[in-house]
């Protein structure tokens, strides 16, 4: 046996040649596992980086789309700056000159002493029927276009105000042809002014004064119809 071991790589006792033995290093299992783990980690890192890049691209596209949508909505909802700076305006009618209006309507303002007319006011005495108590009393009336009201006082001193009729309350003015005024002292010179709340019956001193007062009060009723 000892001789056979010594003859390894040479010849056996029977003369047959013996092949030489070659020893290869066996890789360590721990090294292989380490390399495998590193490869898996690198793969996972690459996948994660690619996913983050994809998400970043999607977020950028979504933000750009939202920004474009907001700009489009703002362009549609907001009027152009030129239109906002220069809005269309409706020209207001020129203020009515009461005296010129009456003269153009054929009234002789100069020859009627019972009515005082200026560009904005009309003043004069009228006899008015009471509201609850149907008595007739002489009152000084002031039709004021600037204050937009018809006021009446105890006398022409205009100190004791008895009542006010605002323009926006006047519905119509008409001649009392039906003689509806209770016991009018002068039925042919009686006219009526209707408001939302009550009916005012008045008597003028002359036919010309009655026509002038009616035309003056009609301007207030017509003005309400434009608003």
């Amino acid at each position: 046996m000892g001789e056979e071991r010594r003859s390894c790589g040479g010849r056996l006792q029977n003369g047959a040649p013996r092949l030489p033995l070659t020893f290869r290093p066996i890789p360590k299992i721990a090294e292989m596992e380490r390399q495998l783990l590193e490869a898996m980690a690198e793969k996972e890192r690459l996948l994660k980086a690619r996913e983050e890049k994809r998400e970043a691209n999607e977020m950028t596209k979504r933000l750009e789309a939202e920004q474009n949508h907001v700009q489009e909505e703002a362009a549609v909802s907001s009027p152009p700056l030129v239109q906002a700076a220069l809005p269309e305006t409706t020209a207001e009618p020129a203020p009515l000159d009461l005296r010129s209006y009456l003269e153009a309507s054929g009234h002789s303002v100069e020859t009627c002493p019972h009515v005082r007319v200026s560009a904005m006011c009309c003043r004069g005495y009228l006899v008015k029927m009471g509201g609850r108590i149907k008595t007739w009393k002489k009152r000084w009336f002031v039709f004021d276009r600037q204050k937009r009201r018809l006021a009446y006082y105890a006398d022409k001193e205009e100190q004791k105000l008895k009542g006010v009729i605002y323009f926006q309350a006047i519905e119509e003015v008409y001649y009392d042809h039906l003689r509806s005024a209770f016991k009018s002292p002068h039925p042919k010179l009686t006219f009526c002014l209707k408001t939302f709340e009550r009916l005012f019956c008045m008597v003028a001193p002359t036919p010309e004064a009655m026509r002038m007062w009616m035309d003056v009060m009609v301007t207030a009723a017509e003005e309400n119809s434009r608003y």
Side-chain angles (χ1 to χ4, degrees):
M1 292 294 291
E3 295 178 354
E4 292 180 357
R5 290 191 186 95
R6 286 192 298 269
S7 62
C8 286
R11 291 180 178 271
L12 296 177
Q13 291 179 354
N14 57 6
R18 186 177 180 87
L19 298 174
L21 297 177
T22 302
F23 296 94
R24 297 180 179 178
I26 301 175
K28 295 181 180 181
I29 297 177
E31 182 66 17
M32 294 177 62
E33 290 180 349
R34 184 184 65 79
Q35 293 178 357
L36 179 61
L37 291 174
E38 289 180 355
M40 292 178 63
E42 180 66 16
K43 181 179 180 181
E44 185 176 354
R45 186 186 67 80
L46 292 174
L47 292 175
K48 185 177 180 181
R50 185 169 63 183
E51 182 66 20
E52 290 177 352
K53 184 177 181 180
R54 185 184 64 81
E55 292 179 353
N57 291 334
E58 290 181 354
M59 178 64 70
T60 301
K61 292 180 180 179
R62 185 162 58 250
L63 291 175
E64 290 178 353
E66 291 179 355
Q67 186 176 4
N68 293 335
H69 181 66
V70 170
Q71 291 177 352
E72 291 176 358
E73 287 186 346
V76 172
S77 60
S78 300
L81 294 178
V82 175
Q83 293 183 1
L86 300 173
E88 295 183 359
T89 57
T90 303
E92 296 183 358
L96 177 67
D97 187 320
L98 200 57
R99 186 181 181 91
S100 298
Y101 169 78
L102 291 177
E103 291 175 347
S105 300
H107 297 288
S108 180
V109 178
E110 293 291 342
T111 59
C112 185
H114 302 287
V115 183
R116 302 178 186 175
V117 184
S118 64
M120 298 296 292
C121 294
C122 181
R123 289 176 167 87
Y125 277 110
L126 294 172
V127 179
K128 184 184 76 67
M129 185 179 72
R132 287 178 294 179
I133 302 175
K134 307 301 180 182
T135 56
W136 293 85
K137 293 183 179 181
K138 189 176 182 180
R139 298 300 183 201
W140 178 260
F141 279 78
V142 178
F143 182 92
D144 193 330
R145 288 190 58 82
Q146 186 172 3
K147 295 181 180 180
R148 294 178 54 80
R149 71 178 192 178
L150 173 64
Y152 48 95
Y153 300 84
D155 52 45
K156 63 181 179 180
E157 300 298 327
E158 300 181 12
Q159 297 296 323
K160 297 180 180 180
L161 181 66
K162 292 296 184 179
V164 175
I165 305 171
Y166 290 98
F167 285 6
Q168 59 265 30
I170 299 176
E171 290 184 333
E172 56 181 333
V173 181
Y174 57 90
Y175 174 69
D176 186 26
H177 59 279
L178 296 178
R179 305 292 188 267
S180 58
F182 179 75
K183 294 183 179 180
S184 172
H186 298 286
K188 293 183 179 181
L189 300 177
T190 304
F191 65 100
C192 302
L193 184 150
K194 183 181 179 184
T195 68
F196 298 127
E197 297 178 350
R198 59 174 286 191
L199 179 67
F200 291 85
C201 296
M202 290 162 280
V203 177
T206 63
E208 176 62 16
M210 181 187 69
R211 289 190 293 268
M212 288 177 62
W213 272 111
M214 289 181 65
D215 284 347
V216 165
M217 295 179 186
V218 163
T219 63
E222 291 179 345
E223 187 173 309
N224 289 335
S225 65
R226 293 198 298 266
Y227 293 97

